[in-house]
């Protein structure tokens, strides 16, 4: 099994620094299942190629296995790119995979022209799957297919391909893509797959897997079709991916088309929602406010404009959303007196967090529908039992309204990451339950233009604690 990586970035021999393998040497590494050899078939300033040759020992593979005996010895494993290659990449090119390079740190972070060639890559899903996996990541592919046996052409084509992937990309990203996708194409793993695999997948999939159109297939195959692991990975991946702006736009555009006809002012549903949340917070007299699941900081921006709010804390589980919020609020350019009023923290609404205690009010705008229903109970306790602000404002879509949007196919949600969308009665039953259990009064307000039958596109629940305590 042979993988070559070539570059024309000059001086091309810098590839040796990036891989931590000297171009003039042939090196051998002992792995659990055989040996890996690294050498450079070409190393000139114009073009340099590093080769990773895996010499898998079929006898080593058999140890510990108890499959049908012949298949242990007569199989494709020694010759094809599989999870053995991923292990070898992690062990032999581990530093490069982590994006580090002492000698050329900047180069490790720079996209350079790279070409990876896999001599024998099995693809359960054929050429089509090869393209579906690599093309969305920006690679140009050259795929050579092979007939199964040239002596028996009737047997048809083999599932093995010689594949060249080219792109100007960081070496670490190329290695991470191969690390994850080679076993996915092969649809097999040579070792036991447990929780540790979820961690590896999330680590190596960081920055690209969440948005990959074949995300679900990749997760499913990588975790060997184990439902529990797959759900765990998906939940964490989605939690850490910011709202898809395009999806939000679709919702906004749909609503705008309807709002504009009857109103003098053109406002998107989301703007309206935020304004109404702001009004409720303002009327309550709250000064210290939380924005939980603050996303890119749209509400934070409105809160900052109003002096009533003296302490504003935004929290989100997504690093990327928080980075965008820093940009949107221009936090780094903000004068000190403003900067002191606002804080952004990374955290999850699934876990009790003392930083959330002692606030007058909390806004949770379009967040609950991103939480898995079985985990809502944890959220309820985190917010209403432990953080316990005097007031909570929650908004969530009203599913009944979806029929008003022609562009939204029946039975689908407004956003692909929504775990549920509630009808008004469902939201109210849930919210009233919280009110009873945690001692809050609850009132409900429509958000957006209200239709007689299906209500408004969004719904708001306002929870207040003081009143109930006075009555008791
Ligand atoms: N409130 C913002 C963003 C809504 S999108 C606005 O109205 O513009 C939903 C947000 O909830 C995303 O930013 C997402 O990262 C965040 N989120 C999802 N699960 C979360 C969790 N468990 N803890 C905190 N934030 C979460």
């Amino acid at each position: 099994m042979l993988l070559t990586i070539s570059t024309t970035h000059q001086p091309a021999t810098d590839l040796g620094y990036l891989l931590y393998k000297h171009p003039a040497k042939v090196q051998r590494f002992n792995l659990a299942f055989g040996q890996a050899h690294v050498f450079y078939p070409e190393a000139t300033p114009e073009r340099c190629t590093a080769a990773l040759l895996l010499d898998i020992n079929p006898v080593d593979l058999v140890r510990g296995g108890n499959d049908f005996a012949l298949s242990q010895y007569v199989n494709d494993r020694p010759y094809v790119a599989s999870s053995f290659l991923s292990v070898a990449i992690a062990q032999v090119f581990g530093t490069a995979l982590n994006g580090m390079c002492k000698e050329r740190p900047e180069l490790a972070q720079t996209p350079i022209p790279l070409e990876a060639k896999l001599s024998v890559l099995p693809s359960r899903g054929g050429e089509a799957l090869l393209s579906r996996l690599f093309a969305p990541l920006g690679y140009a592919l050259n795929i050579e297919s092979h007939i199964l046996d040239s002596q028996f052409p009737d047997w048809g084509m083999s599932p093995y391909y010689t594949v060249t992937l080219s792109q100007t990309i960081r070496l670490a990203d190329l290695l991470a893509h191969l690390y994850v996708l080679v076993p996915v194409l092969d649809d097999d793993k040579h070792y036991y797959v447990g929780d540790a695999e979820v961690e590896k997948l999330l680590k190596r999939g960081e920055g690209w897997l969440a948005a990959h159109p074949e995300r679900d297939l990749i997760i499913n195959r990588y975790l060997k079709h184990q439902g529990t692991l797959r759900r765990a990975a998906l939940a964490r991946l989605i939690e850490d991916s910011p709202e898809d702006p395009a999806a939000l736009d679709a919702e906004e555009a749909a609503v705008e088309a309807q709002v504009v006809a009857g109103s003098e002012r053109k406002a998107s549903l989301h703007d309206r929602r935020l304004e109404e949340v702001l009004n409720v917070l303002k009327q309550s007299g709250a000064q210290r406010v939380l924005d939980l699941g603050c996303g890119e900081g749209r509400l934070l921006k409105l809160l900052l404009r109003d002096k009533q709010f003296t302490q504003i804390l935004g929290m989100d589980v997504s690093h990327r959303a928080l980075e965008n919020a820093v940009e949107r609020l221009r936090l780094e350019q903000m004068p000190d007196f403003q900067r002191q009023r606002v804080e952004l923290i990374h955290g999850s609404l699934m876990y009790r967090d003392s930083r959330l205690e002692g606030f007058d009010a909390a806004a949770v705008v379009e967040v609950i529908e991103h939480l898995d229903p079985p985990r809502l109970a944890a959220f309820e306790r985190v917010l209403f039992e432990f953080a316990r602000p005097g007031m909570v404002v929650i908004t969530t879509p009203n599913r009944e309204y979806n029929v008003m949007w022609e562009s939204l196919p029946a039975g689908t949600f407004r956003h692909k990451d929504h775990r549920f969308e509630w009808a008004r009665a469902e939201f109210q039953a849930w919210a009233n339950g919280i009110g009873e259990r945690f001692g809050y009064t609850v009132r409900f307000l429509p958000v957006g233009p209200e239709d007689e039958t299906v209500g408004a596109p969004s719904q708001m629940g306002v929870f207040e604690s003081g009143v109930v305590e006075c009555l008791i």
Side-chain angles (χ1 to χ4, degrees):
M1 162 41 233
L2 181 69
L3 163 71
T4 61
I5 297 176
S6 309
T7 188
T8 50
H9 173 83
Q10 294 187 7
T13 42
D14 274 359
L15 187 61
Y17 288 113
L18 291 177
L19 291 171
Y20 276 74
K21 301 287 171 287
H22 197 286
K25 287 190 193 156
V26 175
Q27 296 186 55
R28 192 176 70 189
F29 303 86
N30 288 322
L31 304 172
F33 46 81
Q35 290 182 331
H37 305 267
V38 177
F39 56 94
Y40 288 74
E42 58 181 337
T44 68
E46 290 75 38
R47 187 179 163 93
C48 184
T49 297
L52 172 67
L53 178 73
L54 283 195
D55 185 8
I56 293 167
N57 183 345
V59 178
D60 283 348
L61 296 188
V62 175
R63 291 198 189 119
N66 53 2
D67 275 355
F68 165 60
L70 187 59
S71 71
Q72 292 173 348
Y73 295 94
V74 184
N75 63 42
D76 65 358
R77 298 295 88 185
Y79 315 106
V80 306
S82 68
S83 53
F84 292 114
L85 177 64
S86 302
V87 173
I89 287 176
Q91 295 194 359
V92 178
F93 297 146
T95 317
L97 176 63
N98 289 326
M100 313 233 263
C101 180
K102 237 198 222 151
E103 299 284 340
R104 298 284 187 279
E106 267 170 33
L107 192 58
Q109 295 306 320
T110 309
I112 57 173
L114 286 171
E115 199 179 277
K117 184 170 180 183
L118 293 136
S119 56
V120 189
L121 179 62
S123 173
R124 325 273 165 211
E127 279 193 52
L129 185 62
L130 278 163
S131 303
R132 273 160 48 205
L133 292 185
F134 286 107
L137 296 169
Y139 291 97
L141 283 97
N142 188 322
I143 305 172
E144 238 180 278
S145 49
H146 303 285
I147 53 174
L148 199 54
D149 190 323
S150 51
Q151 296 203 349
F152 304 96
D154 289 353
W155 289 0
M157 302 306 286
S158 80
Y160 304 114
Y161 299 87
T162 302
V163 177
T164 309
L165 303 163
S166 321
Q167 183 174 188
T168 298
I169 187 174
R170 289 186 334 143
L171 177 63
D173 294 333
L174 168 69
L175 293 175
H177 294 153
L178 294 176
Y179 178 92
V180 173
L181 295 178
V182 165
V184 164
L185 283 160
D186 186 31
D187 203 8
D188 198 6
K189 282 260 168 80
H190 68 274
Y191 50 84
Y192 169 76
V193 169
D195 290 340
E197 289 306 289
V198 175
E199 299 305 322
K200 284 186 208 163
L201 177 62
L202 294 175
K203 184 166 176 205
R204 300 301 171 204
E206 200 185 335
W208 61 273
L209 182 53
H212 196 293
E214 295 296 340
R215 178 187 72 192
D216 294 357
L217 174 138
I218 296 170
I219 295 177
N220 196 23
R221 283 191 174 192
Y222 190 89
L223 298 170
K224 268 198 162 172
H225 307 266
Q226 294 192 28
T228 322
L229 296 180
R230 191 190 64 208
R231 280 188 294 277
L234 200 56
R236 287 187 36 204
L237 202 59
I238 290 169
E239 265 183 12
D240 208 21
S241 66
E243 274 292 89
D244 174 354
L248 201 57
D249 285 351
E251 187 198 76
E252 289 181 356
V255 182
E256 262 175 26
Q258 317 209 351
V259 179
V260 173
S263 76
E264 64 286 8
R265 205 175 78 80
K266 181 174 163 178
S268 77
L269 171 62
H270 199 55
D271 288 341
R272 264 194 179 210
R273 195 155 36 206
L274 296 176
E275 250 168 53
E276 293 187 24
V277 171
L278 185 71
N279 281 339
V280 173
L281 290 173
K282 196 161 165 56
Q283 281 162 19
S284 74
Q287 296 187 321
R288 308 173 40 154
V289 292
L290 294 166
D291 183 6
L292 302 174
C294 62
E296 300 182 346
R298 295 185 196 206
L299 179 63
L300 295 174
K301 194 164 183 176
L302 300 179
L303 291 167
L304 266 167
R305 281 195 199 140
D306 195 318
K307 290 203 188 79
Q308 174 181 324
F309 304 108
T310 54
Q311 190 184 346
I312 304 162
L313 179 71
M315 183 178 93
D316 205 285
V317 75
S318 159
H319 277 292
R320 224 173 319 165
L322 290 170
E323 278 166 19
N324 290 342
V326 169
E327 290 270 307
R328 182 182 285 266
L329 299 173
R330 300 178 170 276
L331 217 58
E332 273 151 22
Q333 293 96 313
M334 210 178 256
D336 278 352
F337 74 97
Q338 279 288 69
R339 182 70 192 80
Q340 281 158 8
R341 292 170 60 212
V342 62
E343 194 183 350
L344 292 179
I345 61 171
H346 182 233
S348 168
L349 285 164
M350 292 297 125
Y351 303 101
R352 182 178 181 174
D353 190 332
S354 58
R355 296 174 297 179
L356 306 182
E357 288 166 18
F359 282 81
D360 303 325
V364 191
V365 180
E366 307 299 289
V367 174
I368 58 168
E369 63 276 9
H370 293 264
L371 308 178
D372 269 335
R375 299 170 83 186
L376 276 176
F379 160 73
E380 292 163 23
R381 293 194 66 196
V382 166
L383 182 54
F384 292 94
E385 184 177 331
F386 299 118
R388 216 176 158 75
M391 172 195 256
V392 177
V393 184
I394 296 183
T395 75
T396 192
N398 164 23
R399 186 186 66 222
E400 293 164 83
Y401 196 89
N402 289 359
V403 293
M404 304 288 279
W405 292 332
E406 284 166 17
S407 56
L408 197 65
T412 51
F413 293 148
R414 297 177 195 183
H415 188 280
K416 63 180 188 307
D417 284 346
H418 285 179
R419 312 302 163 83
F420 58 86
E421 284 174 0
W422 276 334
R424 284 166 295 175
E426 289 169 301
F427 176 54
Q428 293 178 12
W430 174 77
N432 286 326
I434 290 180
E436 278 166 30
R437 264 176 290 132
F438 299 101
Y440 282 76
T441 55
V442 196
R443 61 195 161 95
F444 300 96
L445 299 167
V447 183
E450 215 174 352
D451 174 82
E452 237 173 67
T453 322
V454 296
S458 223
Q459 43 189 341
M460 180 191 294
V462 182
F463 303 71
E464 280 157 305
S465 70
V467 186
V468 170
E469 275 158 20
C470 294
L471 290 177
I472 288 172

